[in-house]
Amino acid sequence: MSGQTVFYILAGAAILSALLCIIQKNPIASVLWLISTMFALAGIYVLLQAQFIAAIQVLVYAGAIMVLFLFVIMLLNLGRDTGDLRGMPVRLAAVLVAGGLLGELVLLARVTPGSMALLRGTAVGAGTPMASFPAGQAGAAAPGAQGVVGAIAEPLFRTYLVPFEITSILLLAAVVGAVVLAKRKL
Amino acid sequence: MLQPYVPLLILIVFVVANAALILGVSHLFSTYRRTPTKVAAYESGIPVLGDARERFSIKFYLVAMLFIIFDIETVFMIPWAVAFRQLSEISGLLIVEMFVFIAVLGVGYVYIWKRGAFEWD
């Protein structure tokens, strides 16, 4: 099975579970389908030689973030019959947002180097999913001597040292914020 | 390119087939007689106390939130640990870097400890 076939299977699975996620009546079922979407995306990351991102996608997004989603649903107590939101203004807003995103997607598909290569059929591996993602090409070239995780660690801990340290301050702010918001008495 | 993932594919196929087999076989060979006791929610053997769909305390949310934050901290440690030997020429810098990172989050840890966020009051 070639990489392209696997890509289409995973992409199809991702789109299908995303659709099932948004058409579910039961919010818990929506969350489960979203987890399925995340797993399909993780598979696509593996195809792009980004195994570390794939592992993080499963651990952090499919695991931890989904726990948060579940807690929010339980917290809000979305019962079986929440009122129907589909009034005219909401529909208009939804159409606007969806149209904007679609336009953005079309624009993006035009400007990425991968899609240019795909159209002209020039670059190595043109017509494969890897060519559609510039990061994929970079990722395919980067590992080897360093390994996949090493290719992430090198720039993270050398070039982007300060942003990395600032991340810890961001996480600290998140810790304090969570405690302040959720704790009844400090 | 995808050769190393064949065992993973086999594992996934096996897991799905196993689940389908267990559920399918028990579906085929079992009988259904719905009694009020059988269709009631299982609550560790005690009588059902109410609906499961009630509002949950925000305390659960706090636990999940703190878990995610420290989960992300671990995410940064994985590439650090993996690449430590490869980047041996800057190993001193790497150690200092990670200790600063952990120290900043350690402040957060001490904060939530002192604030009593670990306590279930």
Side-chain angles (χ1 to χ4, degrees):
Chain A
M1 205 155 40
S2 71
Q4 201 163 6
T5 321
V6 177
F7 170 77
Y8 284 123
I9 292 171
L10 287 171
I15 292 170
L16 186 71
S17 10
L19 277 177
L20 283 165
C21 170
I22 57 174
I23 62 174
Q24 293 296 321
K25 275 257 154 84
N26 186 346
I28 304 288
S30 274
V31 167
L32 291 177
W33 280 114
L34 194 55
I35 291 174
S36 163
T37 313
M38 304 258 178
F39 269 93
L41 288 181
I44 292 175
Y45 290 144
V46 171
L47 276 185
L48 294 169
Q49 303 282 317
Q51 286 88 344
F52 181 67
I53 306 290
I56 296 312
Q57 171 86 2
V58 171
L59 283 179
V60 175
Y61 277 81
I65 305 280
M66 285 301 120
V67 170
L68 266 193
F69 274 42
L70 274 178
F71 275 136
V72 170
I73 287 166
M74 288 153 86
L75 201 70
L76 294 175
N77 190 24
L78 293 170
R80 275 134 295 182
D81 37 30
T82 41
D84 202 346
L85 288 169
R86 284 172 290 184
M88 209 51 207
V90 178
R91 279 191 185 186
L92 195 68
V95 167
L96 279 177
V97 169
L101 283 174
L102 186 68
E104 199 178 349
L105 207 62
V106 168
L107 281 175
L108 268 176
R110 287 200 178 160
V111 295
T112 54
S115 68
M116 299 286 277
L118 199 70
L119 284 172
R120 292 179 188 164
T122 48
V124 184
T128 66
M130 273 63 80
S132 307
F133 298 93
Q137 291 173 322
Q146 288 180 314
V148 186
V149 180
I152 289 173
E154 161 101 60
L156 180 63
F157 296 119
R158 194 178 269 180
T159 319
Y160 301 109
L161 196 155
V162 175
F164 164 70
E165 295 296 354
I166 290 173
T167 309
S168 70
I169 294 172
L170 182 70
L171 289 171
L172 179 65
V175 166
V176 175
V179 172
V180 168
L181 285 174
K183 200 76 184 148
R184 186 173 291 153
K185 49 182 189 293
L186 289 170
Chain B
M1 185 196 108
L2 294 169
Q3 217 66 28
Y5 298 104
V6 172
L8 193 65
L9 182 71
I10 294 170
L11 181 72
I12 290 170
V13 168
F14 184 76
V15 166
V16 171
N18 202 11
L21 194 77
I22 289 169
L23 290 174
V25 166
S26 62
H27 185 80
L28 275 178
F29 291 104
S30 59
T31 53
Y32 298 102
R33 225 176 306 133
R34 294 163 69 86
T35 66
T37 317
K38 274 188 188 171
V39 296
Y42 179 70
E43 236 172 79
S44 309
I46 58 169
V48 177
L49 290 173
D51 202 343
R53 289 183 184 79
E54 55 181 53
R55 288 182 71 171
F56 282 72
S57 171
I58 194 131
K59 286 182 265 184
F60 294 98
Y61 193 77
L62 183 62
V63 172
M65 196 76 206
L66 294 177
F67 161 67
I68 287 170
I69 291 161
F70 288 104
D71 196 27
I72 292 168
E73 182 191 353
T74 319
V75 164
F76 282 103
M77 286 180 187
I78 297 167
W80 181 82
V82 169
F84 192 77
R85 280 173 196 277
Q86 288 159 9
L87 302 173
S88 52
E89 74 272 13
I90 54 163
S91 56
L93 176 70
L94 279 178
I95 288 175
V96 173
E97 244 182 279
M98 189 44 80
F99 269 86
V100 170
F101 185 76
I102 294 171
V104 172
L105 280 155
V107 173
Y109 186 74
V110 171
Y111 172 81
I112 51 181
W113 195 346
K114 290 288 169 200
R115 285 292 189 201
F118 292 137
E119 267 151 55
W120 199 261
D121 47 19

